[in-house]
Amino acid sequence: MANSDAALLEKIESLKKRRNAIFLVHNYQLGEVQDIADFTGDSLELSQKAAKTNADVIVFCGVQFMAETASILCPDKIVLLPDMHAGCPMADMITAERLREKKKEHPRAKVVCYVNSSAEVKAESDVCCTSANAVRIVEKLTGTEEIIFVPDQYLGNYVSSQTGREMILWPGYCPSHVRIQPQDITRLKAEYPQAKVVVHPECRPEVTALANAVLSTGGMIRFARETDAEEIIIGTEIGILHRLRKENPGKKFIPASEQAICPTMKLITLENVLWSLENMVHQVKIPEIIRLRAKAAVDKMLEG
Ligand code: 13P
Ligand code: SF4
């Protein structure tokens, strides 16, 4: 490690202690940011962790909607997002206003919103879900024939295929996951015939159809730990490879596509984590009137 890196890490650690902060880090973050985490996980695991922490300050190393979810659950804590431009393009594909219009077209429908959405969109929804629990949440949804699922059409399509429930799908998608093509998987399967294939449900249906397992990023971490396979093709954002390789040195992880990069996830760096703690910016705070309605949808998800 270079001296300058060691000095930077030391500054971060000492300020973190002084502020009584916790670092919650998503599985897609840069390796150097994952390495300073108190906890690394998927969207569900991170929101569960945020809900339980005793820290005064949560430094969210992820994207806007994740920091917002932490703030929805912990309004008394300071939630910092080290780069205010770290958004999720998929979450931006729907607004509360457009969702209200859709609800008017289907007045009896219940709305399930993927956690990759703004607090305002969550406030318009009946229940939230993540990629880890979407199937279970939709299975449990009773008392309605109609379901509007927003904003990810591919996760929605996957959930439909697993539950047999037809849903009205919003045409959103993740620009990073749609880069993974079925021919990437078939080529790699020919090259590594013993490999298992795991992909994220944000991938296109032609891609999920070729997988041994369709999992959240947290699910992929567990799969990698437990499988006997020594070669695993990973169909998701390539930041996860850092953790997979670190935790499973004896196994080979092959990215389905090197193109599957989420540029906004990579905006968080050690430098802006330090800057964020020094200046206590950018604080993510949700207006109370929105927060309470959004919290109802998130709580309903976390109930189990
Ligand atoms: P996970 O909840 O599976 O970590 O996914 C979050 C995300 O943004 C996927 O693109
Ligand atoms: Fe959003 Fe896709 Fe990035 Fe996840 S990987 S944060 S869904 S743009």
Side-chain angles (χ1 to χ4, degrees), residues 179-199:
R179 291 198 177 144
I180 301 171
Q181 299 285 339
Q183 52 273 30
D184 294 325
I185 308 282
T186 39
R187 181 177 42 81
L188 288 169
K189 271 172 76 165
E191 201 177 326
Y192 300 95
Q194 305 301 325
K196 286 258 162 65
V197 180
V198 284
V199 307

Side-chain angles (χ1 to χ4, degrees), residues 27-28 177 180 184-185 188 192 195-200 203 207 211 213 215-217 219-225 227 231-242 244-245 248 251-260:
N27 289 321
Y28 295 160
H177 282 85
I180 301 171
D184 294 325
I185 308 282
L188 288 169
Y192 300 95
K196 286 258 162 65
V197 180
V198 284
V199 307
H200 198 274
C203 292
V207 171
L215 298 167
S216 73
T217 61
M220 289 182 188
I221 298 288
R222 282 186 292 282
F223 181 97
R225 197 179 296 145
T227 183
E231 296 172 331
I232 305 151
I233 297 166
I234 299 291
T236 194
E237 210 276 347
I238 59 173
I240 197 173
L241 295 167
H242 175 79
L244 287 170
R245 287 174 179 151
N248 306 277
K251 293 178 183 171
K252 185 175 174 73
F253 296 97
I254 306 126
S257 168
E258 298 276 3
Q259 306 292 313

Side-chain angles (χ1 to χ4, degrees), residues 1 5 8-9 12 23 25 28-37 40 61 239 242-243 246 266-273:
M1 188 188 296
D5 289 351
L8 180 60
L9 289 172
I12 292 173
F23 294 160
V25 178
Y28 295 160
Q29 289 286 290
L30 292 172
E32 69 210 47
V33 178
Q34 293 190 32
D35 290 344
I36 60 163
T40 312
C61 301
H242 175 79
R243 181 166 171 202
K246 197 169 157 183
K266 308 305 186 220
L267 290 175
I268 312 298
T269 61
L270 291 180
E271 285 78 7
N272 60 25
V273 166

Side-chain angles (χ1 to χ4, degrees), residues 61-299:
C61 301
V63 291
Q64 179 90 27
F65 76 81
M66 297 177 178
E68 281 191 3
T69 307
S71 185
I72 287 167
L73 291 168
C74 319
D76 301 332
K77 300 202 185 297
I78 294 174
V79 179
L80 300 177
L81 183 64
D83 188 314
M84 69 184 294
H85 300 294
C88 166
M90 181 212 281
D92 295 339
M93 291 178 189
I94 186 167
T95 61
E97 197 183 335
R98 291 179 69 203
L99 177 53
R100 279 193 290 272
E101 283 164 18
K102 192 52 119 189
K103 283 164 69 175
K104 270 193 207 136
E105 286 170 30
H106 304 275
R108 279 188 301 276
K110 290 214 170 149
V111 179
V112 180
C113 80
Y114 190 22
V115 71
N116 298 39
S117 54
S118 67
E120 288 80 2
V121 166
K122 289 185 177 73
E124 291 295 333
S125 303
D126 293 285
V127 60
C128 201
C129 70
T130 74
S131 58
N133 60 20
V135 169
R136 191 159 41 83
I137 297 283
V138 170
E139 265 169 0
K140 274 180 46 188
L141 204 61
T142 50
T144 182
E145 287 294 302
E146 274 186 303
I147 300 174
I148 300 172
F149 189 94
V150 299
D152 185 7
Q153 60 181 303
Y154 295 124
L155 175 62
N157 179 79
Y158 175 71
V159 171
S160 257
S161 75
Q162 298 302 298
T163 59
R165 292 187 83 166
E166 240 178 77
M167 302 196 288
I168 301 151
L169 302 179
W170 195 266
Y173 62 91
C174 165
S176 310
H177 282 85
V178 297
R179 291 198 177 144
I180 301 171
Q181 299 285 339
Q183 52 273 30
D184 294 325
I185 308 282
T186 39
R187 181 177 42 81
L188 288 169
K189 271 172 76 165
E191 201 177 326
Y192 300 95
Q194 305 301 325
K196 286 258 162 65
V197 180
V198 284
V199 307
H200 198 274
E202 286 176 16
C203 292
R204 302 165 189 271
E206 310 88 270
V207 171
T208 52
L210 296 172
N212 296 102
V214 180
L215 298 167
S216 73
T217 61
M220 289 182 188
I221 298 288
R222 282 186 292 282
F223 181 97
R225 197 179 296 145
E226 288 160 16
T227 183
D228 292 334
E230 283 168 13
E231 296 172 331
I232 305 151
I233 297 166
I234 299 291
T236 194
E237 210 276 347
I238 59 173
I240 197 173
L241 295 167
H242 175 79
R243 181 166 171 202
L244 287 170
R245 287 174 179 151
K246 197 169 157 183
E247 292 184 4
N248 306 277
K251 293 178 183 171
K252 185 175 174 73
F253 296 97
I254 306 126
S257 168
E258 298 276 3
Q259 306 292 313
I261 298 175
C262 176
T264 49
M265 279 278 178
K266 308 305 186 220
L267 290 175
I268 312 298
T269 61
L270 291 180
E271 285 78 7
N272 60 25
V273 166
L274 176 60
W275 174 82
S276 167
L277 271 175
E278 277 171 347
N279 300 290
M280 298 300 273
V281 288
H282 299 280
Q283 297 195 18
V284 176
K285 197 103 191 111
I286 312 296
E288 197 60 5
I289 191 156
I290 306 278
R291 188 188 75 81
L292 289 173
R293 291 173 61 212
K295 186 169 184 293
V298 176
D299 281 347

